[in-house]
Amino acid sequence: MLGFIVAIAAGFLTPHLDKPVSGPLMAAAAKVIEIDRAETRLVSFMVALLGAGIVANLLDSGSAFWVVVGAVIGYFLTRLTGAARAAMDRRRG
């Protein structure tokens, strides 16, 4: 369960990894492989998912399936909460 929660946090933090983590990583990898700037968010998500997987393994908590599901939920968390708020507002009004 703790691995799932860590994965949600990793997915949520993905946009914040674009400049400090993915930028230097992509610059270093550009010498070997071509990476498009449009793939920055994807690289950030991969780094976050890798980090969540390592933490879940160190904590001996969570299967690979739940780590991936948690990261996907975390990535779309702001959109999901916005959709839920809009649905509740429609029900009230």
Side-chain angles (χ1 to χ4, degrees):
M1 180 69 170
L2 193 56
F4 179 71
I5 295 170
V6 168
I8 290 175
F12 183 75
L13 293 175
T14 294
H16 303 288
L17 299 177
D18 285 349
K19 286 187 180 182
V21 177
S22 295
L25 186 61
M26 289 173 63
K31 299 171 187 169
V32 180
I33 188 171
E34 181 181 338
I35 301 176
D36 191 56
R37 294 304 291 167
E39 297 172 323
T40 303
R41 187 61 51 93
L42 175 63
V43 172
S44 297
F45 186 69
M46 290 187 305
V47 169
L49 192 55
L50 181 62
I54 290 170
V55 171
N57 194 349
L58 290 175
L59 295 173
D60 197 28
S61 173
S63 67
F65 174 78
W66 289 112
V67 169
V68 171
V69 170
V72 170
I73 289 172
Y75 184 83
F76 291 107
L77 190 60
T78 55
R79 297 177 202 182
L80 291 171
T81 55
R85 283 184 189 155
M88 287 190 292
D89 289 343
R90 282 193 302 267
R91 283 188 89 174
R92 286 186 197 151

